[in-house]
Amino acid sequence: MAGRVFPYLDLVIAFIAASFAFETFLDLRQFSALLRPSLPPALDGIVSQEKFVKARAYSLDKARLGFVRGAVDFCVELLTLKFLVLPWLWELCALDYQLPWLWGINGRNEIEHSILFLFASSLISQVVDLPFGLYSTFVIEHRHGFNKQTLFGFIKDRILGIALMVVILPPVLAAVIRIVQVGGNLVAVYLWLFMLAFSLFMLTIYPVAIAPLFNKFVPLEAGTLRTKIEGLAGSLSYPLKKIFVMDGSQRSAHSNAYLYGFFKNKRIVLYDTLLSHCKDDEEEVVAVIAHELGHWKLGHTIRFFLLSQALLLIQCSGFIFVRSQPDIFRSFGFKEEPVIIAILLFQHLSTPVSHLLDFGLNIISRTFEYQADAFAVKMGYAPKLRSGLIKMQEENLSAMNTDPWYSAYHHSHPCLPERLATIDAEAKRVGKKEE
């Protein structure tokens, strides 16, 4: 009896199965909603029947692929855990010999061993994901007129992603392992500080060094649109430095816009597809930017960042606890207690809490979206925000009918009918104040 290990693995498998069953139930509810042959009352007479039929077909195709992908992911994860594939892969990467193509890497050094394990597990994930990525891009997206990417471009993006992983992840993983090895009693704090610094570093270099590897960013040409956006930003004291147009159309016909930058170096990025969709009324683009600036003015971005860092500190503490429990490693079939395996085990064991946190974060995010919409309404953009959101919904072929349970669990943004109702209510409230 003394050698018995608490069945952590069995508990994780049980939760994965329960989670899959629950999410499949929600997916079925959403699929049933997508099958409805007519628009929801809130969009009747607003969205054209032609767009509704196209959006319905697109959403159903994506949902069918989602069922298959969810089942495959579930089976892969279940079999990986049940048949102790990860311990086997870890032992396989413990090279007691040298191969010429590994440039003399020593598999018995924890850092080098962990890097080999990371690459091997990432390669397996890429192989599993590849058929779904190809089908989604070249069948579903192409069928519904969104895909603008060639097979060469698809492969190029994958290779670039792998190259970035090879460049970025090994030094980060090596630093994490070293911090855990020498951190002492404050290792969780040191680990959190390192991840905080790395997050800020990535937020700084991604827009200027990484994103341009995948897309072209050109300054928005002088004209009335640029003047209006600069005027809006100036009226809110937003320290705007540049406005870029991103060639999102080279991959997809979907549209969007976003802000980025620290301190006095803020920038706005507009998808070229957004400009194309709203070419007949640039005020709709300005209204969308007013919504995004509302997030900044109301402090949503910094609040979300601070919340994420608080959660990260808690996660670091939880990870250190898992690292100190040999029985957890034994339950999952590991004979050693390396740092990278402790990270994976913590992710598995914390999954129930992660699901609850994601649900809570979605609630916060949806609240922020309503507030940003209300901000744009107060700025006088109610009609244009309304028409802009409808146009984006139509052009992106977003789902028109949404199950409320599915939406509450999965979506970080309210569905269009909910947003339009909030915009209308806020516009009436603002109008009464002005009377």
Side-chain angles (χ1 to χ4, degrees):
M1 293 294 292
R4 258 190 101 141
V5 176
F6 186 81
Y8 294 102
L9 175 59
D10 293 336
L11 286 177
V12 168
I13 289 176
F15 181 80
I16 289 173
S19 177
F20 175 71
F22 175 67
E23 292 185 358
T24 301
F25 166 70
L26 293 179
D27 290 342
L28 288 170
R29 286 182 59 95
Q30 175 65 4
F31 194 78
S32 177
L34 294 174
L35 287 172
R36 293 172 194 157
S38 58
L39 281 161
L43 298 182
D44 193 19
I46 296 175
V47 175
S48 70
Q49 185 65 21
E50 179 189 2
K51 289 293 185 181
F52 168 67
V53 171
K54 290 181 178 180
R56 180 174 178 267
Y58 178 52
S59 297
L60 286 170
D61 277 351
K62 290 196 298 178
R64 292 186 185 102
L65 179 62
F67 280 120
V68 177
R69 182 165 193 167
V72 170
D73 288 344
F74 169 67
C75 290
V76 169
E77 186 173 18
L78 192 66
L79 294 174
T80 298
L81 292 172
K82 188 66 178 175
F83 292 98
L84 306 180
V85 174
L86 291 177
W88 170 81
L89 185 61
W90 175 257
E91 292 298 327
L92 184 66
C93 294
L95 300 174
D96 289 320
Y97 49 87
Q98 292 185 356
L99 297 176
W101 58 276
L102 288 177
W103 300 292
I105 288 178
N106 177 11
R108 285 300 174 186
N109 176 284
E110 183 180 348
I111 291 177
E112 296 175 9
H113 187 172
S114 297
I115 291 172
L116 286 176
F117 177 81
L118 175 64
F119 286 160
S121 57
S122 298
L123 178 61
I124 294 171
S125 296
Q126 289 280 345
V127 171
V128 173
D129 178 69
L130 184 60
F132 296 105
L134 286 168
Y135 188 85
S136 175
T137 301
F138 295 104
V139 177
I140 294 179
E141 297 294 310
H142 178 75
R143 178 186 298 160
H144 297 280
F146 286 118
N147 180 48
K148 307 298 180 184
Q149 195 172 31
T150 63
L151 181 60
F152 173 78
F154 180 88
I155 295 172
K156 176 187 172 185
D157 282 354
R158 291 279 171 149
I159 293 173
L160 275 174
I162 293 171
L164 287 170
M165 181 188 74
V166 170
V167 171
I168 295 173
L169 289 187
V172 172
L173 179 59
V176 168
I177 292 172
R178 193 60 183 154
I179 289 170
V180 173
Q181 289 174 340
V182 302
N185 294 332
L186 294 176
V187 61
V189 175
Y190 297 144
L191 195 57
W192 169 71
L193 288 172
F194 170 74
M195 294 307 298
L196 171 61
F198 176 69
S199 298
L200 294 174
F201 172 72
M202 288 303 297
L203 286 171
T204 302
I205 70 162
Y206 179 82
V208 296
I210 297 177
L213 296 175
F214 297 90
N215 292 97
K216 291 181 181 178
F217 295 81
V218 297
L220 177 64
E221 62 185 24
T224 56
L225 178 59
R226 193 171 104 179
T227 300
K228 289 175 182 178
I229 294 175
E230 289 174 340
L232 174 61
S235 70
L236 298 172
S237 300
Y238 181 76
L240 177 63
K241 291 298 181 183
K242 292 182 180 179
I243 306 172
F244 289 108
V245 177
M246 189 187 85
D247 64 337
S249 59
Q250 72 164 327
R251 288 179 176 78
S252 172
H254 292 294
S255 59
N256 207 346
Y258 63 90
L259 319 178
Y260 73 91
F262 289 114
F263 307 115
K264 301 295 183 181
N265 191 30
K266 304 287 188 182
R267 304 181 183 195
I268 294 174
V269 174
L270 307 171
Y271 282 42
D272 58 355
T273 46
L274 176 65
L275 300 182
S276 176
H277 295 161
C278 299
K279 62 184 177 182
D280 295 329
D281 193 346
E282 61 187 23
E283 282 290 332
E284 292 174 344
V285 178
V286 181
V288 171
I289 297 302
H291 168 92
E292 297 299 332
L293 287 170
H295 285 302
W296 170 79
K297 191 68 174 180
L298 298 171
H300 295 164
T301 306
I302 187 65
R303 279 193 268 176
F304 244 125
F305 181 76
L306 293 175
L307 178 59
S308 68
Q309 292 306 310
L311 293 175
L312 178 60
L313 179 57
I314 295 172
Q315 289 174 325
C316 289
S317 301
F319 156 70
I320 295 302
F321 172 78
V322 170
R323 175 86 162 73
S324 66
Q325 303 298 312
D327 282 355
I328 295 179
F329 291 85
R330 305 297 174 267
S331 177
F332 282 81
F334 290 95
K335 299 174 183 177
E336 303 173 71
E337 300 162 21
V339 172
I340 191 172
I341 300 303
I343 295 172
L344 290 176
L345 297 185
F346 171 72
Q347 288 175 339
H348 281 302
L349 291 167
S350 63
T351 300
V353 178
S354 296
H355 279 265
L356 291 174
L357 286 174
D358 288 343
F359 178 67
L361 290 173
N362 279 344
I363 292 175
I364 296 172
S365 176
R366 290 159 73 95
T367 301
F368 284 173
E369 290 302 318
Y370 286 132
Q371 291 176 356
D373 282 344
F375 180 87
V377 170
K378 291 173 184 175
M379 294 290 296
Y381 291 101
K384 297 303 180 181
L385 178 62
R386 199 176 194 282
S387 60
L389 290 176
I390 292 170
K391 192 170 290 183
M392 290 175 68
Q393 181 92 357
E394 289 182 324
E395 298 300 331
N396 290 332
L397 297 184
S398 301
M400 304 294 175
N401 287 302
T402 305
D403 178 73
W405 291 15
Y406 178 91
S407 180
Y409 184 78
H410 284 291
H411 292 167
S412 60
H413 286 53
C415 61
L416 181 61
E418 294 170 332
R419 294 185 70 176
L420 294 182
T422 302
I423 290 170
D424 291 344
E426 183 65 22
K428 287 180 180 178
R429 193 180 68 80
V430 171
K432 286 182 180 179
K433 275 190 175 182
E434 293 176 351
E435 289 177 357

